[in-house]
Amino acid sequence: MNTRSITLFGESIAPGENKTINVEIARLHTTTKLNIPIIVRRSKIPGPVVLFSAGIHGDEINGVEIVRQLIHKKINKPKIGTIICIPIINVYGFVNKSREFPDGRDLNRVFPGSKSGSLASRFAFHILTEILPLVHYAVDFHAGGASRFNAPQIRIAPNNPDLKILADVFDAPFTLYSRNITGSFRSSSEKMNVKMLLFEGGKSLDINKSIATEGVNGAIRLLAYLDMLGPKHRVIPQKSPTIYIDKSGWIRAKCSGLLQDFDTVGTFVKKGTILATITDPYGKFERKVKAPNDGYIINANHAPIVYEGDAIYHLSNVVAGEEDE
């Protein structure tokens, strides 16, 4: 909680100063510059440093929208301390509407990165060496990939009381206990003692207003808890406390066909509830997809076509299955 100037990518930001730092780590193959704007706002009063980031996966636009709103509504103007906003980390993927970097790598699997490694690895290295050493708290915003729609949720590692407190404060509709994945931003943040919440909501290549509102309101509640929220903003309490989920798994398609979703994502369903039907294009069969147990639908596949074995619903209270960030 330094009262002195901080330095990001060679640029100094004094207490009370606002600055946008345009970082160029590499250019396009056309030699065109492609900058990553980092928006920094500092109070004159010392306090924590909070990072709001999005766009690690370039096609997860809903997170970009959340951070954009934090900036546009001046929620990122802190009463004390410093707020750093990076709306788009993977600007290459954002330009190409792609999850990965141009080198085909998933940025969220190459942390801590390398100064002389692949393009994605170099980005990870600079984020960890230039930004993370300054940060005390962080929220990294994501969305579901491959047409999967995530109910708004926070993900935290189990057995971490500090993150449990922050998840309670953020108060998303759901909080999932989810192990840190090797090579992820979240995993490296934990090793650097940065208290990071991972927000998931919506799906790739989509902006959902209700999901964005959940993300913005959660960020406001977090800043208020840290005594950083400006006087022009008010906290909007959640209607009910976050629902914690420690066991969950995927329901998979038992046949290939057209998926007719019944819009149950985010709701509690009873065992036997019909979640969707899978049909063939020719009217010969129609098979029901039923919930195997009581639980919350925390992710739904919105793809119109599925293949046998595809993950189509993420349901709580069953044996833990695959995870993605």
Side-chain angles (χ1 to χ4, degrees):
M1 302 184 186
N2 202 335
T3 58
R4 300 178 181 177
S5 295
I6 61 174
T7 302
L8 276 175
F9 293 96
E11 295 200 35
S12 178
I13 309 104
E17 188 176 6
N18 306 320
K19 184 174 285 189
T20 297
I21 301 169
N22 291 304
V23 179
E24 179 195 328
I25 296 175
R27 298 191 179 195
L28 294 176
H29 59 285
T30 59
T31 74
T32 304
K33 290 183 178 181
L34 206 57
N35 292 326
I36 303 170
I38 300 175
I39 295 92
V40 183
R41 300 201 70 160
R42 302 196 68 195
S43 170
K44 292 182 179 180
I45 305 171
V49 177
V50 174
L51 169 67
F52 294 116
S53 61
I56 274 187
H57 296 131
D59 61 352
E60 296 180 1
I61 302 173
N62 221 96
V64 177
E65 170 62 13
I66 293 170
V67 181
R68 183 201 71 82
Q69 288 194 31
L70 295 178
I71 298 166
H72 178 71
K73 296 176 180 179
K74 296 182 173 55
I75 297 166
N76 68 322
K77 183 179 180 181
K79 183 171 74 172
I80 66 171
T82 300
I83 297 177
I84 301 172
C85 289
I86 313 177
I88 310 169
I89 292 179
N90 179 5
V91 68
Y92 296 91
F94 185 77
V95 168
N96 294 316
K97 300 180 182 179
S98 168
R99 178 183 178 90
E100 293 84 13
F101 259 66
D103 59 10
R105 287 174 170 82
D106 183 338
L107 178 59
N108 211 28
R109 295 296 180 271
V110 299
F111 284 91
S114 168
K115 188 176 183 180
S116 57
S118 68
L119 181 60
S121 183
R122 294 180 188 207
F123 262 69
F125 173 82
H126 286 294
I127 291 168
L128 254 61
T129 57
E130 292 282 348
I131 301 172
L132 261 290
L134 302 171
V135 175
H136 301 102
Y137 304 92
V139 184
D140 190 35
F141 294 94
H142 288 252
S147 299
R148 295 175 184 170
F149 188 99
N150 274 319
Q153 58 194 255
I154 286 292
R155 295 185 184 180
I156 59 173
N159 304 315
N160 190 320
D162 291 337
L163 290 183
K164 168 70 165 57
I165 291 171
L166 296 179
D168 286 341
V169 170
F170 195 98
D171 203 16
F174 299 99
T175 298
L176 274 65
Y177 286 114
S178 166
R179 76 190 195 282
N180 285 332
I181 297 174
T182 302
S184 69
F185 190 25
R186 181 162 62 116
S187 178
S188 287
S189 296
E190 182 182 59
K191 292 175 182 177
M192 297 180 68
N193 296 317
V194 176
K195 296 177 178 63
M196 173 177 281
L197 300 177
L198 186 146
F199 177 90
E200 285 274 2
K203 63 182 178 180
S204 58
L205 297 176
D206 183 64
I207 294 177
N208 182 285
K209 290 183 179 179
S210 64
I211 295 291
T213 298
E214 290 286 357
V216 169
N217 287 343
I220 288 174
R221 289 190 282 267
L222 178 64
L223 292 174
Y225 171 77
L226 298 173
D227 198 28
M228 297 176 70
L229 187 66
K232 294 183 179 180
H233 304 286
R234 65 184 184 92
V235 175
I236 300 175
Q238 194 69 277
K239 293 180 179 178
S240 58
T242 186
I243 296 167
Y244 278 88
I245 295 172
D246 61 359
K247 292 183 179 180
S248 61
W250 286 99
I251 301 170
R252 295 187 175 275
K254 294 183 178 179
C255 61
S256 303
L258 307 180
L259 181 66
Q260 316 283 342
D261 174 52
F262 289 177
D263 196 25
T264 55
V265 67
T267 66
F268 181 82
V269 297
K270 302 289 290 183
K271 180 180 179 179
T273 300
I274 300 172
L275 308 177
T277 58
I278 299 176
T279 67
D280 70 304
Y282 310 109
K284 292 183 178 181
F285 74 83
E286 183 173 296
R287 298 183 183 176
K288 297 174 182 178
V289 179
K290 296 182 180 180
N293 57 270
D294 295 357
Y296 290 94
I297 301 294
I298 50 181
N299 179 289
N301 193 334
H302 283 178
I305 298 172
V306 295
Y307 287 92
E308 183 176 344
D310 281 357
I312 49 178
Y313 292 102
H314 197 180
L315 179 66
S316 69
N317 298 332
V318 294
V319 176
E322 300 116 307
E323 299 167 353
D324 57 9
E325 292 188 0

